[in-house]
């Protein structure tokens, strides 16, 4: 690529020249006028978003970010975020929205290039909280070496939204060495997982007021592009499929892979890491940790000959220190995931149906 | 996890499975696990696969969601749809279909339906929303009834006037009596429900061994508990005796929990009859609020249809709940009736035999797995 968007290697580019003085935002709460497109909108954008996200493409404040691309394959994805509570142990809706889109690109084998961010704000939402969210987004993007190059803000009447909704989209350039697809898993492939499951879902559930359970479980929200890059550098095209098991958890992601690739996936329960606190919360609430959401874990299906090297590469990355080979892809029965239990039994591991609903007793 | 992992120790589980084999009991043996929690645990861990082929586990009627008849659910839906109502329920009940949709459907239509973890959460919602009528859908066996009792007493003490209880608590012993009276019953013993028995104690089961000659072992819910309980039943059979034994002694006392029983008695009384899904009307098998608490009784304070509604013809939940059919032998299993679109209640709760079967081990697949594992 002759000229890349202001991403890829670390820090977003900032204008060298001193800026004109930004208009200040006097209001402490979001008003409908902040979404009207007039002066109030400008002062919100300039005082809250423009500085935090600043990069050469965004700073122009044009209708679209324009940048050149060269040949190759590109990945394009989008995701809306509506989490409640907005602030939770280990993160908030902002870093979640940035990491979520980066991870969707990364598991497609793409290096994220740039993101968009669109906000739906509820009238009355505290500006201070919005600033915190935006700062988290800027930090998450910067950590992952990606820029937010375009955005939008709308405000709806009080009661018509739940504080703030954020939609992010992202473009990434697909690594030429890999052909990642949900349907590309072969019988014989090894299934790898980068660390303990269920952290995000349980952190969110326990952060909701109605559950008075104390815990120290943090959401695992993080960007996986660095880890994916390390994996691809180590074993290249031997990676057949990657997924980040978000909503529906490990069970749902693996079922999607099994059905799409028409393979059976056989897992070993004792190799699947789950934190003590997550197991405890699942026991109390009657939930299945295999169906609980993650926001910073990677599942990879890797050709058997490369699987040891893949595991080493994953383990040497800080986000993959607890990586495990959790199972195998088999030829039959196709479309089924099953689990060899710790005590020597086995069972089907089905997809989540509906929401995870706690058992009664 | 302390106090749980000890009961999931693979070596201990293998040793117990070995000891069951060592008893060399070779006649067919049918054991019913009464409680849905056991069904769930058996499939979650694949415990049934560790047993000799002549020992069959049959699923019983002890899933609190599964036994609620359609008519009661329709009553609940009519309360939930009434104006100025916040309807609260355990999560499991949300997907159960009534004759016109489920609570989830009613919520999508705009009814304020919230799932809570205990009746005291519902009372809290009532305190916080004095302008709304807050109804709690009280379901469950003797396990959950004490918390309903405590909440009623608290509501009475505080004088909360916008809180109502829709009482559907059922009793395990009358259901067992109905089962034991069925002419097609072929059972040799029962895994007794651990949590219920922690409340009611051991004495109420004694007639089963004495009058019906069947073994009862009150069991905990972890793999070691279940296998040890099966071992105790098989041992009784090899010795040619039937008795009530307590495997779950860390939770169950002979006399039960007298405090909980007193609270239940203070607030609730036995109904003359109650309709059970699939099992029909069973005398003295459920609880209702005592007249001292009628101001909290949703059945009296709301205008509900109160009708008996027949189960869909295709649904064989009744036979499954009686243990006469295995879930996969039901004509609707995994075809017309799935967890996504359940027809019968057994497919809804994760404690329901059909849902557990569907989720954890559709039989044919389990056979394939067994072959693969060998």
């Amino acid at each position: 690529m002759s000229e890349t968007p202001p991403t890829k290697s670390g820090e977003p580019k900032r204008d060298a020249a001193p800026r004109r003085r930004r208009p200040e935002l006097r209001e402490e709460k979001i008003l409908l006028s902040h979404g009207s497109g007039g002066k109030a909108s400008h002062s919100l954008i300039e005082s809250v978003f423009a500085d935090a996200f600043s990069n050469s493409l965004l700073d122009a404040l044009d209708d679209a970010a324009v940048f050149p691309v060269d040949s190759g394959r590109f990945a394009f994805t989008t995701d809306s975020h509506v989490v409640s509570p907005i602030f939770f142990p280990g993160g908030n809706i902002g870093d979640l929205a940035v990491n979520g889109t980066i991870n969707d690109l990364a598991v497609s084998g793409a290096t994220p290039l740039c993101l968009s961010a669109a906000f739906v704000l509820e009238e009355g939402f505290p500006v201070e909280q919005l600033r915190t969210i935006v700062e988290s987004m800027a930090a998450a993007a910067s950590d992952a070496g990606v820029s937010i190059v375009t955005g939008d803000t709308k405000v709806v009447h009080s009661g018509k939204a739940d504080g703030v909704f954020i939609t992010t989209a992202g473009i990434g350039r697909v690594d030429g060495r890999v052909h990642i697809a949900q349907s590309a898993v072969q019988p014989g492939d090894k299934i790898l997982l980068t660390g303990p499951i269920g952290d995000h879902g349980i952190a969110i559930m326990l952060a909701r007021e109605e559950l008075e359970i104390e815990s120290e479980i943090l959401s695992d929200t993080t960007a996986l592009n660095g880890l994916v890059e390390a994996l691809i550098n180590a074993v290249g095209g031997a990676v057949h499929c990657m997924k980040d098991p978000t909503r529906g958890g490990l069970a749902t992601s693996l079922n999607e892979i099994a059905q799409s690739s028409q393979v059976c996936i056989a897992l070993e329960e004792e190799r699947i890491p789950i934190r003590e606190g997550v197991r405890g919360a699942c026991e109390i609430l009657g939930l299945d940790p295999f169906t609980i959401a993650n926001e910073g874990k990677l599942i990879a299906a890797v050709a058997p000959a490369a699987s040891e090297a893949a595991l080493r590469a994953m383990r040497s990355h800080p986000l993959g220190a607890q990586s495990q080979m959790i199972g195998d892809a088999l030829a039959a029965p196709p479309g089924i995931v099953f689990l060899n239990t710790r005590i020597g039994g086995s069972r089907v591991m089905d997809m989540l149906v509906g929401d995870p609903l706690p058992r009664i007793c | 996890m302390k106090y749980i992992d000890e009961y999931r120790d693979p070596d201990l589980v293998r040793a117990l499975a070995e000891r069951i084999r060592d008893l060399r009991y070779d006649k067919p043996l049918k054991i019913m696990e009464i409680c849905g929690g056991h069904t769930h645990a058996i499939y979650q861990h694949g415990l049934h696969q560790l047993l000799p082929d002549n020992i069959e586990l049959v699923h019983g009627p002890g899933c609190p969601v599964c036994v609620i008849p359609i008519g009661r659910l329709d009553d609940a839906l009519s309360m939930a749809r009434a104006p100025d109502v916040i309807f609260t329920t355990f999560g499991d009940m949300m997907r159960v279909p009534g004759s016109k949709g489920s609570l989830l459907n009613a919520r999508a239509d705009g009814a304020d339906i919230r799932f809570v973890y205990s009746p005291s959460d519902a009372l809290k919602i009532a305190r916080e929303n004095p302008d709304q009528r807050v109804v709690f859908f009280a379901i469950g066996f003797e396990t959950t009834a004490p918390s309903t009792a405590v909440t009623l007493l608290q509501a009475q003490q505080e004088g909360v006037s916008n809180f109502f209880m829709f009482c559907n608590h059922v009793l395990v012993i009358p259901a067992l009596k109905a089962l034991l009276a069925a002419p097609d019953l072929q059972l040799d013993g029962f895994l007794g429900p651990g949590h219920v028995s922690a409340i009611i104690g051991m004495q109420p089961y004694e007639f089963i061994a004495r009058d019906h000659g069947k073994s009862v072992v009150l069991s905990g819910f972890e793999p070691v508990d279940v296998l040890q309980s099966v071992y105790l039943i098989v041992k009784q059979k090899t010795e040619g005796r039937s008795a009530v034994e307590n495997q779950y002694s860390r939770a169950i006392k002979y006399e039960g929990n007298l405090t909980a029983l007193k609270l239940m008695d203070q607030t609730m009384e036995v109904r003359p009859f109650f309709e059970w899904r699939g099992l029909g009307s069973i005398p003295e098998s459920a609880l209702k609020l005592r007249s001292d608490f009628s101001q909290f009784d949703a059945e009296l304070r709301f205008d509900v249809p109160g009708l008996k509604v027949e189960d869909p013809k295709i649904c064989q939940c009744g036979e499954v709940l009686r243990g006469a059919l295995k879930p996969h032998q039901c004509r609707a299993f995994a075809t017309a009736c799935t967890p996504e679109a359940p027809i019968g209640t057994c497919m809804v709760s994760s404690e329901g035999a059909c849902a557990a079967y569907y989720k954890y081990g559709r039989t044919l697949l389990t056979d394939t797995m067994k072959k693969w594992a060998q």
Side-chain angles (χ1 to χ4, degrees):
Chain A
M1 220 182 269
S2 55
E3 191 184 340
T4 55
T7 58
K8 192 93 169 129
S9 54
E11 285 295 297
K13 286 180 200 161
R14 284 178 183 269
D15 283 349
R19 289 162 201 278
R20 70 186 169 84
R21 201 165 158 268
R22 297 281 189 208
E24 276 184 26
L25 194 68
R26 291 211 179 80
E27 297 82 6
E28 286 176 3
K29 298 210 161 166
I30 294 294
L31 306 175
L32 281 174
S33 58
H34 287 128
S36 64
K39 270 192 181 167
S41 294
H42 278 273
S43 66
L44 176 72
I45 289 166
E46 300 213 349
S47 103
V48 176
F49 298 109
D51 264 348
F53 294 157
S54 174
N55 56 70
S56 56
L57 289 180
L58 182 75
D59 293 349
L61 293 179
D62 282 327
D63 285 344
V66 178
F67 52 87
V69 295
D70 64 358
S71 60
R73 290 179 300 147
F74 286 81
F76 175 40
T77 186
T78 185
D79 206 345
S80 292
H81 297 266
V82 294
V83 65
S84 169
I86 292 166
F87 295 90
F88 47 81
N92 63 52
I93 193 171
D95 36 25
L96 196 66
V98 168
N99 292 332
T101 291
I102 289 175
N103 290 347
D104 285 346
L105 293 172
V107 297
S108 315
T111 305
L113 297 176
C114 51
L115 303 182
S116 73
F119 296 77
V120 175
L121 302 171
E122 185 183 5
E123 179 188 18
F125 189 68
V127 171
E128 207 42 52
Q129 289 191 17
L130 181 61
R131 279 190 205 280
T132 309
I133 290 166
V134 166
E135 277 158 22
S136 311
M137 293 177 79
S142 150
D143 287 350
V146 184
S147 289
I148 297 166
V149 297
T150 185
D152 185 46
T153 308
K154 295 285 187 307
V155 180
V156 296
H157 284 275
S158 173
K160 300 285 182 196
D162 191 7
V164 54
F165 300 150
I166 304 176
T167 298
T168 49
I171 293 178
R173 189 166 188 277
V174 179
D175 194 306
R177 293 169 291 180
V178 293
H179 283 269
I180 304 296
Q182 199 163 272
S183 57
V185 177
Q186 308 283 322
D189 282 0
K190 299 287 180 189
I191 309 297
L192 283 69
L193 169 71
T194 55
I197 55 165
D199 293 4
H200 176 75
I202 293 296
I204 293 282
M205 251 177 256
L206 297 186
R208 289 185 184 151
E209 275 173 28
E210 61 259 38
L211 282 177
E212 286 160 15
I213 301 175
E214 283 183 31
S215 88
E216 289 168 1
I217 300 159
L218 303 180
S219 164
D220 57 350
T221 178
T222 193
L224 292 165
N225 55 332
L227 175 61
V228 167
E229 198 179 320
L231 177 62
I232 293 176
N233 284 342
V235 298
V239 184
H240 295 159
C241 176
M242 291 186 284
K243 253 185 160 348
D244 61 326
T246 53
R247 281 172 307 169
L250 186 72
T252 301
S253 291
L254 289 175
N255 272 283
E256 286 164 358
I257 293 172
Q259 281 165 21
S260 206
S261 296
Q262 282 298 296
V263 294
C264 167
I265 293 177
L267 301 171
E268 297 299 326
E269 185 178 29
E270 63 186 358
R271 294 204 198 149
I272 303 174
I274 306 175
R275 273 181 226 286
E276 194 72 6
V278 171
R279 283 181 62 202
C282 285
E283 284 295 330
I284 293 171
L285 300 175
L287 296 171
D288 178 356
F290 300 123
T291 61
I292 305 291
N294 308 277
E295 289 291 341
K297 295 297 174 314
L298 177 76
I299 308 168
V302 180
S307 60
E308 287 296 337
L311 187 64
R312 276 197 302 278
M314 284 159 78
R315 282 185 178 163
S316 40
H317 191 278
L319 294 177
Q322 297 186 64
S323 296
Q324 290 285 345
M325 215 173 286
I326 59 168
D328 299 271
L330 309 172
I336 297 296
V337 179
F338 75 86
L339 182 78
N340 290 312
T341 66
R342 207 172 254 117
I343 60 154
S346 68
R347 64 159 163 108
V348 170
M349 189 200 258
D350 209 353
M351 268 194 203
L352 176 65
V353 176
D355 280 328
L357 295 176
R359 285 167 52 211
I360 288 173
C361 60
Chain B
M1 255 175 307
K2 234 177 162 184
Y3 309 124
I4 288 190
D5 287 344
E6 295 88 329
Y7 297 95
R8 291 183 184 172
D9 178 1
D11 292 338
L12 208 48
V13 168
R14 267 190 290 274
L16 278 165
E18 203 54 42
R19 287 186 69 171
I20 292 171
R21 281 176 201 284
D22 287 348
L23 290 172
R24 301 193 183 284
Y25 186 84
D26 50 13
K27 281 181 240 160
L29 190 65
K30 273 193 176 183
I31 301 170
M32 174 178 275
E33 83 272 4
I34 298 164
C35 175
H38 284 139
T39 308
H40 186 86
I42 287 164
Y43 282 100
Q44 183 188 1
H45 300 287
L47 289 171
H48 53 302
Q49 295 160 2
L50 305 182
L51 297 176
D53 289 339
N54 62 318
I55 299 178
E56 190 187 349
L57 296 174
V58 181
H59 321 300
C63 155
V65 170
C66 304
V67 299
I68 298 289
I70 292 181
R72 299 294 285 189
L73 200 78
D74 285 353
D75 292 349
L77 281 158
S78 91
M79 292 175 198
R81 290 193 153 114
D84 307 319
V85 165
I86 300 173
F87 191 85
T88 60
T89 172
F90 291 131
D92 269 23
M93 283 308 295
M94 297 287 278
R95 269 202 295 264
V96 180
S99 56
K100 289 188 193 96
S102 65
L103 289 165
L104 273 182
N105 298 132
R107 188 167 75 177
D109 292 342
D112 190 346
I113 300 173
R114 306 181 189 180
F115 82 75
V116 291
Y117 292 87
S118 76
S120 63
D121 291 347
L123 181 60
K124 188 169 161 224
I125 293 173
R127 278 189 219 109
E128 288 164 359
N129 297 275
D131 300 337
Q132 304 270 306
R133 297 180 288 170
V134 176
V135 183
F136 178 69
F137 195 175
I139 67 159
F141 286 84
E142 289 91 334
T143 325
T144 50
S147 60
T148 296
V150 169
T151 310
L152 279 169
L153 288 166
Q154 205 173 350
Q156 190 187 48
Q157 200 180 358
E158 293 175 25
V160 182
S161 59
N162 63 328
F163 179 68
F164 307 94
M165 214 40 112
F166 180 35
C167 184
N168 292 274
H169 286 299
V170 287
L171 304 171
V172 78
I173 297 296
L176 290 178
K177 283 187 177 152
L179 266 180
L180 287 162
D184 57 350
L185 183 82
Q186 294 173 325
L187 289 176
D188 303 290
F190 293 94
L191 281 185
H195 295 146
V196 166
S197 309
I199 307 295
I200 68 172
M202 289 175 70
Q203 191 276 331
Y205 299 95
E206 280 173 354
F207 78 99
I208 300 175
R210 190 185 57 229
D211 304 343
H212 297 271
K214 315 228 180 267
S215 306
V216 181
V217 175
L218 307 179
S219 174
F221 294 86
E222 297 303 329
V224 166
D225 294 321
V226 173
L227 284 188
Q228 192 183 21
S229 300
V230 171
Y231 171 79
L232 290 170
I233 291 175
V234 180
K235 190 155 176 286
Q236 285 189 19
K237 292 300 158 200
T238 44
E239 292 165 359
R241 64 192 180 92
S242 299
V244 181
E245 291 183 274
N246 182 8
Q247 182 278 333
Y248 201 27
S249 57
R250 64 188 187 278
I252 302 170
K253 285 193 279 193
Y254 180 82
E255 69 279 14
N257 182 334
L258 296 175
T259 312
L261 289 170
K262 196 173 148 222
L263 288 165
M264 283 162 64
D265 185 53
Q266 212 177 329
T267 51
M268 289 175 263
E269 62 188 7
V270 176
R271 293 172 192 264
F273 287 96
F274 192 75
E275 175 80 16
W276 290 54
R277 175 131 205 199
L279 301 178
S281 178
I282 304 178
E284 300 183 343
S285 63
L287 300 172
K288 64 173 188 161
L289 303 197
R290 284 195 184 277
S291 54
D292 291 355
F293 294 86
S294 56
Q295 71 165 111
F296 301 107
D297 194 339
E299 278 174 86
L300 303 174
R301 303 296 298 273
F302 283 77
D303 194 15
V304 292
L307 295 174
K308 184 180 175 212
V309 182
E310 293 295 328
D311 289 338
K313 285 233 156 43
I314 190 174
C315 177
Q316 295 184 289
C317 275
E319 283 133 295
V320 173
L321 288 170
R322 286 204 308 276
L325 277 190
K326 286 264 180 185
H328 69 281
Q329 292 164 338
C330 169
R331 56 186 165 245
F333 180 78
T335 51
C337 182
T338 62
E340 300 94 273
I343 293 175
T345 42
C346 301
M347 192 55 101
V348 179
S349 166
S350 62
E351 292 183 15
C354 295
Y357 235 76
Y358 188 95
K359 181 168 182 208
Y360 289 143
R362 283 156 274 178
T363 332
L364 293 173
L365 297 171
T366 313
D367 291 345
T368 316
M369 287 176 216
K370 263 189 179 169
K371 272 180 216 143
W372 178 80
Q374 277 159 7

